[in-house]
Amino acid sequence: MGVNLRDLVTPVAVSLEELKGKVVAIDGYNALYQFLAIIRQPDGTPLKDSRGRITSHLSGIFYRTANLLEAGVKPVYVFDGKPPELKTKEIEKRIEVKERAAVEYKAALERGDMVAARKAAQATSKLTGEMVGQAKDVLVALGVPWIQAPSEGEAQATFMTKKGDAWATVSQDYDSLLFGAPRLIRNLTISGRRKLPNKPVYIDIEPEIVRLEDVLLELKITRDQLIDIGILLGTDFNPDGFKGIGPKKALKAIEEFGSLKAALEQKKVEADPTLDVEAIRDIFLNPKTTDDYRLEWGGINGNAVKEILCGSFDFSPERIEAALHRIEKETKELKKQSSLEKWF
Amino acid sequence: MFKAVLADSRIWKNVIDSISTLVEEGVFIADPSGIRLRAMDPSRVAMVDMELPKAAFESYDCAQEMPIGVNFDDMKNIMKRTGSNEKLELEKLDEEARLKIRFKGKSSRTFSLPLLDLGKEELSAPRISFNATLKIPANTLMEAIKDAEVVSDFVKITAEDNQMKIAASGDRGEVDVVITKESGELLSVEQKEGAHALYSLTYLSKMMAASSLSEIAVLMFSTDMPMRLDFNPSSGGKIVYYLAPRMEAE
């Protein structure tokens, strides 16, 4: 589920106003999974249309993207392509987690334990190719660009941020820092009131920004060393990490030996013999990316939005129209002010 | 390694101000012929294209191409510390991810700026042909922009009959500025045909930061096409901005 750098970084709150006019490259799969996990009824049932099809992802992509557009932010969604082969283990692990969660969900419902049911249900979220296609249709109708990454979406989004085509990479995971994203924004697509897991308590989730430069300065390490720390903790390409190593020990090992390679050579940390550290480092240092994309915000096609959401998926026309009305001014403005894109 | 000395540190200060007005970070490319940078603003509406050739420096030493990724807020704060009559020395060793910025005047003061690893993807410049080229004092353009800002957020620039018009209108009123050759303010005008386009004042006023480098601005545009605004410092080099147009209201 991505590398866990939470204990090593100090995020700073960022408001939507500060992002006005800026391009943000959003990890599309990550956002859709968040929508599927969060947008559910109290007992864990996802939103569905009259034919029983799940619509949580569409509700999320429409309303959350609309919030960004209303604030004058210019979002671009980046979707995963073919995963690197090293990710197979992580993908198998995710399937297993989902299967276990599905069993637990059923059991919790039978017990009548709604809190446990919702928690388990969140972990069962499955994102199909069809659902991704539906979300892309909504983006097209909203005039918001999306990009197909050759491999990892976060790597592509980060490539665009490094190049200056986007101001920040948006994801809940920290992996984009390992890919070298100068700025990572978390909680952007899920900001607002959210229920704490397992407690009937609501908290406000605020977008926050993590700057790679600050992380490296604070920890007094290089990006290469940050990648090593990530591998010690576990990434999508070695989900189990190193046995008995948490954030503090990982940082200490890198401080002491300079690199994971040196720590391994001196037998200060022990790796699973099948682990190819260099291959994982290579994914973060030289990921597959493409510069074959265009970033244009083409204005909104309200009828197309309504056709998809209200026509096909039974969303309330009043609510969709109210949201479209809210973003009318900003999207018109977006369309009026052209970007330089067309002239390259 | 890269080492360059500028006789007047304020040139570099002005270059940094001209870039930081649009972008928060970017990559200078230093090579044997000089330093250059091209960067887009975060909303992709404007671009800055900067070049300072070897000849603009008192001494210049760079054996091979070297990317220098910079956070402009940080560099701007360092450059604020320079005074008049100071030389500037920029130095980067091959193996160090830091840029040494040394002010040499009454004393020698050295800052060390951590560099950013932003890769070295270079942007190309937009491909546009321009129908009108207007040469005007930077100050005249700046005043016209300030006039327009009183009433609107954007401006209509027109070039026809060998004169330049800058007009703005909004709920707060209307303003018309006419700059002619006769008055001496329009230094030169070349036009293949009449041209008119709308541009955002927010960006235009940011781009005027480069007026500290050159008293003359060269404005090129065509109908509903991006504008190119050039500042050519007498000490050598160039600051060029591109600004995408606003489309006329439907």
Side-chain angles (χ1 to χ4, degrees):
Chain A
M1 287 309 288
V3 60
N4 190 359
L5 296 180
R6 187 193 303 267
D7 296 332
L8 295 175
V9 304
T10 321
V12 182
V14 65
S15 68
L16 280 185
E17 291 78 58
E18 287 171 72
L19 300 176
K20 188 178 164 73
K22 295 192 166 89
V23 178
V24 292
I26 303 173
D27 178 353
Y29 270 76
N30 189 273
L32 290 179
Y33 268 116
Q34 295 292 329
F35 300 148
L36 282 178
I38 296 165
I39 305 172
R40 285 173 184 271
Q41 295 170 24
D43 70 349
T45 314
L47 300 188
K48 286 179 184 173
D49 69 0
S50 58
R51 286 154 64 192
R53 292 179 300 178
I54 292 175
T55 56
S56 299
H57 59 303
L58 297 176
S59 171
I61 202 105
F62 173 70
Y63 287 110
R64 301 306 171 135
T65 307
N67 283 350
L68 296 179
L69 291 172
E70 189 185 6
V73 181
K74 296 161 97 169
V76 45
Y77 284 81
V78 184
F79 292 100
D80 283 0
K82 190 174 176 288
E85 254 167 54
L86 277 168
K87 204 169 174 177
T88 316
K89 199 168 172 192
E90 166 71 13
I91 293 168
E92 282 167 1
K93 201 173 161 181
R94 287 182 192 176
I95 294 171
E96 220 174 274
V97 167
K98 280 179 192 145
E99 282 166 357
R100 266 206 311 269
V103 175
E104 169 56 25
Y105 176 49
K106 224 173 139 195
L109 278 183
E110 275 164 14
R111 289 199 306 273
D113 182 347
M114 289 307 151
V115 175
R118 190 182 153 95
K119 187 187 170 203
Q122 289 193 341
T124 62
S125 308
K126 264 185 213 152
L127 184 62
T128 64
E130 202 182 359
M131 291 157 95
V132 176
Q134 295 155 354
K136 287 175 180 170
D137 289 344
V138 173
L139 290 176
V140 170
L142 282 170
V144 168
W146 62 264
I147 289 167
Q148 185 66 57
S151 186
E152 296 284 83
E154 277 175 303
Q156 177 66 27
T158 296
F159 170 75
M160 294 163 61
T161 307
K162 284 174 86 169
K163 211 173 146 202
D165 283 349
W167 186 76
T169 301
V170 178
S171 178
Q172 288 310 99
D173 293 345
Y174 295 95
D175 300 58
S176 53
L177 295 174
L178 304 193
F179 283 114
R183 300 184 195 79
L184 162 67
I185 301 179
R186 301 183 68 248
N187 300 340
L188 184 66
T189 50
I190 59 162
S191 56
R193 279 167 68 80
R194 185 155 48 135
K195 204 178 128 320
L196 276 183
N198 318 324
K199 280 181 214 150
V201 177
Y202 284 85
I203 51 161
D204 281 326
I205 307 271
E206 303 280 359
E208 59 186 35
I209 189 161
V210 182
R211 289 171 192 267
L212 177 60
E213 200 189 349
D214 294 349
V215 174
L216 300 183
L217 281 177
E218 201 175 315
L219 300 178
K220 297 194 179 67
I221 55 171
T222 63
R223 187 183 139 216
D224 257 53
Q225 291 173 319
L226 185 68
I227 294 174
D228 283 351
I229 289 175
I231 297 171
L232 280 164
L233 294 175
T235 67
D236 283 349
F237 316 110
N238 64 322
D240 299 329
F242 280 57
K243 234 188 214 157
I245 293 201
K248 275 186 194 151
K249 275 191 185 167
L251 180 60
K252 212 175 150 217
I254 295 305
E255 278 171 347
E256 207 170 328
F257 302 102
S259 71
L260 176 53
K261 198 174 165 214
L264 282 167
E265 278 165 7
Q266 299 188 32
K267 306 231 183 299
K268 295 300 172 182
V269 290
E270 209 178 319
D272 171 347
T274 61
L275 186 71
D276 186 347
V277 171
E278 284 312 309
I280 298 173
R281 285 172 51 83
D282 190 56
I283 294 178
F284 288 113
L285 289 170
N286 304 301
K288 277 194 194 126
T289 54
T290 175
D291 51 14
D292 182 16
Y293 54 80
R294 281 174 87 89
L295 299 180
E296 281 182 288
W297 289 264
I300 198 162
N301 183 343
N303 286 334
V305 171
K306 280 184 268 182
E307 213 167 279
I308 300 167
L309 294 178
C310 311
S312 305
F313 291 99
D314 307 328
F315 280 68
S316 141
E318 290 77 27
R319 286 198 60 202
I320 298 298
E321 265 179 52
L324 288 173
H325 185 68
R326 263 195 302 128
I327 59 178
E328 200 182 312
K329 191 173 156 255
E330 276 302 333
T331 49
K332 262 198 186 152
E333 183 57 36
L334 266 181
K335 202 180 169 189
K336 269 189 199 159
Q337 176 59 64
S338 52
S339 72
L340 280 174
E341 203 75 26
K342 282 183 233 171
W343 288 282
F344 282 97
Chain B
M1 82 155 226
F2 158 75
K3 190 171 180 179
V5 180
L6 270 173
D8 182 354
S9 61
R10 283 170 307 177
I11 293 174
W12 189 253
K13 177 182 185 292
N14 293 340
V15 165
I16 296 303
D17 287 345
S18 308
I19 300 170
S20 66
T21 185
L22 280 187
V23 296
E24 290 176 41
E25 71 244 335
V27 185
F28 287 106
I29 307 283
D31 71 8
S33 65
I35 302 178
R36 62 182 189 273
L37 171 141
R38 242 186 229 140
M40 194 94 97
D41 93 285
S43 58
R44 308 181 63 72
V45 172
M47 181 178 190
V48 56
D49 184 1
M50 165 271 175
E51 245 178 68
L52 214 51
K54 188 179 172 177
F57 294 88
E58 190 177 277
S59 73
Y60 187 91
D61 187 10
C62 179
Q64 56 184 16
E65 193 173 279
M66 182 183 273
I68 302 174
V70 168
N71 176 313
F72 283 105
D73 274 347
D74 295 344
M75 189 167 237
K76 193 177 164 175
N77 286 334
I78 291 175
M79 293 312 296
K80 271 188 193 155
R81 297 295 310 140
T82 193
S84 51
N85 299 321
E86 283 194 314
K87 273 190 191 187
L88 175 78
E89 211 175 278
L90 298 171
E91 186 182 15
K92 184 188 174 300
L93 301 177
D94 287 336
E95 67 280 9
E96 267 187 9
R98 286 176 172 269
L99 180 70
K100 286 218 172 73
I101 303 170
R102 189 170 296 127
F103 301 130
K104 278 181 155 173
K106 285 181 188 141
S107 58
S108 169
R109 301 175 288 141
T110 308
F111 288 86
S112 176
L113 176 71
L115 297 177
L116 308 178
D117 167 25
L118 296 170
K120 48 177 184 178
E121 284 289 328
E122 272 194 87
L123 293 171
S124 51
R127 279 191 293 270
I128 318 159
S129 62
F130 300 100
N131 282 335
T133 302
L134 307 157
K135 208 172 177 185
I136 51 172
N139 208 28
T140 306
L141 182 58
M142 180 121 81
E143 290 302 319
I145 288 169
K146 282 184 183 162
D147 286 340
E149 277 177 329
V150 173
V151 299
S152 183
D153 303 326
F154 59 94
V155 74
K156 182 173 185 172
I157 300 185
T158 309
E160 57 185 13
D161 306 329
N162 288 323
Q163 60 176 16
M164 177 182 186
K165 260 197 257 173
I166 296 176
S169 67
D171 302 337
R172 288 168 274 156
E174 289 174 20
V175 61
D176 263 302
V177 180
V178 182
I179 303 167
T180 62
K181 264 185 118 165
E182 289 70 38
S183 68
E185 287 298 274
L186 191 53
L187 303 172
S188 81
V189 50
E190 286 163 40
Q191 58 178 103
K192 289 178 209 156
E193 53 190 83
H196 58 88
L198 303 181
Y199 299 101
S200 153
L201 282 166
T202 316
Y203 288 94
L204 271 178
S205 62
K206 283 182 182 178
M207 286 154 52
M208 293 314 291
S211 62
S212 55
L213 277 165
S214 162
E215 285 173 16
I216 292 170
V218 182
L219 195 160
M220 290 169 250
F221 75 119
S222 303
T223 297
D224 293 337
M225 295 286 278
M227 161 199 289
R228 175 178 161 161
L229 189 62
D230 286 28
F231 295 90
N232 301 304
S234 53
S235 50
K238 63 164 192 186
I239 295 278
V240 171
Y241 294 107
Y242 294 92
L243 173 61
R246 277 179 63 98
M247 293 306 162
E248 304 259 6
E250 292 121 63

